[in-house]
Amino acid sequence: MSRIGKNPVTIPSGVTVEVTGNVVTVKGKLGELSQELQSVSAKVEEGQVVVERSSDAKDQKAKHGLYRALIQNMIVGVSEGFTKELELVGVGYRASNQGQKLDLALGFSHNIVMDIAPEVKIETVSEKGKNPLVKLTSHDKQLVGQVAAKIRSFRKPEPYKGKGIKFVGEELRRKAGKSA
């Protein structure tokens, strides 16, 4: 049996979980998320969500732990939320936002202006002497990760000087460069 899939997901106070057919809907103070289940079933009992599979077919074994983890992420998302922080490393790299528009100056001939999804809250921090930060916050873990990956893809960190957009706390593999 799946080690992750057999663990029940506890429901914290202030969060409601409804299972209708094969759709799990989670509501909390930060929002509402729903996920359609395939090959497995879920039920709510005694303040916990239990994900079960009907047989030991390979497809069901694979999705057992997956859907349990997705339900866990939904519950954590609507109760606490998820945050990703990106750091702009490089001379002249700047970030600013007006509402849901992110404006990035990354050394190209033009600024990159990106519209951010309304579910994601964006904040830019620019302190003198420190690298600019972009903070993304949302109740949807998949969406905040996707937006962060898209922003990072505009200028990935290069291995020689480390210039580019990186996640805060990310370890970069550095290269020595030319030895004269």
Side-chain angles (χ1 to χ4, degrees):
M1 191 165 201
S2 169
R3 283 193 209 152
I4 294 172
K6 68 181 177 185
N7 294 335
V9 182
T10 57
I11 304 170
S13 60
V15 176
T16 58
V17 179
E18 295 175 11
V19 181
T20 25
N22 61 344
V23 177
V24 176
T25 307
V26 180
K27 293 178 189 168
K29 63 180 181 188
L30 296 179
E32 178 180 342
L33 293 169
S34 61
Q35 174 69 47
E36 186 177 346
L37 303 179
Q38 297 172 347
S39 309
V40 295
S41 63
K43 59 183 178 185
V44 179
E45 50 186 39
E46 300 167 14
Q48 294 181 329
V49 181
V50 180
V51 180
E52 297 173 337
R53 61 176 193 252
S54 57
S55 71
D56 281 346
K58 190 174 185 182
D59 180 51
Q60 290 189 356
K61 280 183 169 182
K63 291 184 177 170
H64 191 199
L66 166 75
Y67 284 117
R68 189 260 179 210
L70 289 176
I71 292 170
Q72 166 79 33
N73 288 340
M74 287 168 29
I75 289 173
V76 171
V78 297
S79 60
E80 300 168 27
F82 293 101
T83 303
K84 289 266 188 194
E85 290 186 350
L86 295 149
E87 183 179 9
L88 282 67
V89 181
V91 177
Y93 288 8
R94 291 185 310 279
S96 63
N97 69 309
Q98 292 83 33
Q100 290 298 101
K101 284 194 184 295
L102 177 65
D103 190 2
L104 297 168
L106 300 174
F108 296 118
S109 61
H110 59 284
N111 287 1
I112 298 170
V113 179
M114 181 180 175
D115 286 321
I116 306 294
E119 297 89 24
V120 179
K121 306 248 184 308
I122 186 164
E123 180 187 349
T124 53
V125 180
S126 298
E127 292 180 28
K128 190 169 174 137
K130 291 187 179 176
N131 293 327
L133 290 176
V134 177
K135 291 183 183 178
L136 303 169
T137 310
S138 179
H139 62 278
D140 191 346
K141 186 174 187 177
Q142 187 262 335
L143 181 65
V144 78
Q146 186 177 356
V147 170
K150 179 68 177 169
I151 293 170
R152 185 180 187 270
S153 72
F154 293 135
R155 182 74 92 175
K156 287 189 176 158
E158 51 95 21
Y160 297 102
K161 290 184 178 176
K163 289 171 61 171
I165 302 174
K166 69 180 193 94
F167 293 109
V168 171
E170 179 183 10
E171 291 291 322
L172 298 176
R173 214 171 119 228
R174 300 296 290 270
K175 292 185 178 179
K178 285 195 274 187
S179 54

